[in-house]
Amino acid sequence: MRDKAYLRDVRKRKIQRKKRISKTVYGLDWYPHDGQYSKGKIHCGCGLCKFGKKYGLPTIRDMREKSREYILYDDYKKAQ
């Protein structure tokens, strides 16, 4: 079990990290109060950051799965 000082330190580090990200990426404070950073998420959903999702492009996982399907299909064809 952790003591309260440790938990406060971890919370403070999370807040500092997320505040630094919001300052460098967006140039402003994302939340009006510092405590909201420890619970909130700092991410962007704009078209530049989510380019593949916006335009329906496949992810690496999708491409690997498609490749596996082709390999299995070729093996199936050869076995017959």
Side-chain angles (χ1 to χ4, degrees), residues 15-27:
I15 290 170
Q16 287 175 345
R17 179 183 154 272
K18 291 177 184 179
K19 251 185 121 165
R20 187 185 67 242
I21 289 171
S22 73
K23 284 278 191 177
T24 57
V25 174
Y26 304 111

Side-chain angles (χ1 to χ4, degrees), residues 8-56:
R8 278 192 306 266
D9 182 56
V10 170
R11 181 174 183 261
K12 188 176 97 176
R13 282 189 282 137
K14 282 173 51 176
I15 290 170
Q16 287 175 345
R17 179 183 154 272
K18 291 177 184 179
K19 251 185 121 165
R20 187 185 67 242
I21 289 171
S22 73
K23 284 278 191 177
T24 57
V25 174
Y26 304 111
L28 53 95
D29 283 336
W30 193 260
Y31 295 110
H33 304 287
D34 286 351
Q36 291 174 303
Y37 283 102
S38 67
K39 297 181 178 192
K41 294 168 182 60
I42 304 295
H43 55 79
C44 182
C46 73
L48 290 174
C49 297
K50 303 286 184 185
F51 186 80
K53 189 173 269 190
K54 182 177 179 180
Y55 294 108

